[in-house]
Amino acid sequence: KILLKNVISLKYSTQTISKKDIISVSKVLKSELLTQGPITIKFENKIKHLVGSKYALAVNSGSSALLLACKVLSLKSGDLFWTVPNSFVATANCGILCGLKIGFVDIDTDTWNISIEKLENKLKIAKKKGKLPKLIIVVHLGGLPVNPLKLKKLSRKYKFKIIEDASHSFGGKYYSRKVGCSKWSDITVFSFHPVKIITTGEGGCCTTNQKKYHEKLITLRN
């Protein structure tokens, strides 16, 4: 009982819903289109302008966004992809659901993000064995982005594609560019779950600068 008195209760997340938010949602509920209507398009346009990407596509969750991102990269069943072990299960599941084989790269204990040093060492070994990954999914954990320049340099050398799982990092920056600009990756994924930076109740988004990816994303979503 004495120990329990000293325990501080910490909430996992507390969202802020304003009267303006409630009015906006009510307008949509009274409209003809509840999904993929003009408000969705307006939302997508705001996202792409905020992060600096050419395209943005809203979906029903961050998990769906990850899955669609994997599907549009033209990877083949049995191809290898690597990610980190300290993320929500969707980061790994998206590749597995596409028939890819998974491998993990350890993290940097200072940032809790993927260790670029360990990634590079693992790539060197994989090249000798002829088992290089076709895709790396990095996670910007707790809002802190992975170093994009070093990652892009490795992707050019070892020929892998990059998905940024930026579910935690909406509004983050690196080198004066917003997370989601997709300057150094193929596709960036956001989550709008209530525990994330902004929320739509449930929701997610893919941003990219590649027209071909955006068109495929639209087809798969529809």
Side-chain angles (χ1 to χ4, degrees):
K1 291 182 180 179
I2 294 174
L3 289 174
L4 287 174
K5 287 181 179 179
N6 295 326
V7 171
I8 299 173
S9 177
L10 297 177
K11 293 183 179 180
Y12 181 44
S13 174
T14 303
Q15 65 276 0
T16 300
I17 306 297
S18 67
K19 288 183 179 180
K20 185 178 179 181
D21 294 330
I22 294 170
I23 292 170
S24 297
V25 171
S26 295
K27 286 181 180 179
V28 174
L29 291 174
K30 294 174 183 177
S31 70
E32 293 181 358
L33 295 172
L34 296 184
T35 63
Q36 296 186 37
I39 299 302
T40 301
I41 295 171
K42 184 178 180 180
F43 182 56
E44 291 169 341
N45 286 335
K46 281 196 171 186
I47 290 172
K48 72 180 183 182
H49 289 139
L50 178 65
V51 304
S53 65
K54 289 184 178 179
Y55 307 100
L57 189 86
V59 293
N60 67 333
S61 69
S63 297
S64 293
L66 280 165
L67 180 59
L68 294 186
C70 277
K71 283 183 174 292
V72 303
L73 293 180
S74 300
L75 302 172
K76 298 177 182 178
S77 180
D79 281 347
L80 181 63
F81 82 104
W82 292 351
T83 187
V84 290
N86 64 327
S87 178
F88 182 61
V89 68
T91 311
N93 275 354
C94 62
I96 294 170
L97 289 171
C98 291
L100 309 180
K101 293 183 178 179
I102 191 169
F104 291 103
V105 182
D106 205 351
I107 60 170
D108 183 326
T109 53
D110 289 328
T111 65
W112 287 29
N113 285 331
I114 191 170
S115 168
I116 298 298
E117 181 181 353
K118 291 173 182 176
L119 172 61
E120 185 172 14
N121 290 336
K122 189 166 183 172
L123 286 166
K124 289 177 181 178
I125 295 170
K127 185 177 181 179
K128 291 178 182 178
K129 294 181 177 180
K131 294 183 178 181
L132 283 169
K134 298 291 184 179
L135 168 68
I136 303 290
I137 304 178
V138 297
V139 179
H140 304 314
L141 195 68
L144 180 64
V146 175
N147 187 308
L149 296 182
K150 291 181 179 179
L151 186 65
K152 188 63 178 178
K153 185 177 180 180
L154 289 176
S155 76
R156 289 178 178 143
K157 183 176 181 179
Y158 293 99
K159 311 299 181 186
F160 58 80
K161 297 183 184 298
I162 301 170
I163 293 176
E164 298 177 71
D165 182 344
S167 296
H168 288 194
S169 305
F170 190 79
K173 287 183 179 181
Y174 39 53
Y175 297 109
S176 76
R177 300 294 295 266
K178 289 286 185 67
V179 173
C181 69
S182 297
K183 178 179 174 62
W184 298 285
S185 66
D186 294 277
I187 301 173
T188 304
V189 167
F190 293 110
S191 169
F192 304 130
H193 183 275
V195 302
K196 301 306 191 296
I197 307 300
I198 66 170
T199 184
T200 54
E202 289 282 0
C205 184
C206 295
T207 62
T208 184
N209 293 329
Q210 299 293 322
K211 185 178 180 181
K212 62 180 180 179
Y213 293 155
H214 182 62
E215 289 175 346
K216 287 182 180 180
L217 286 167
I218 292 173
T219 300
L220 288 172
R221 181 188 69 178
N222 294 347

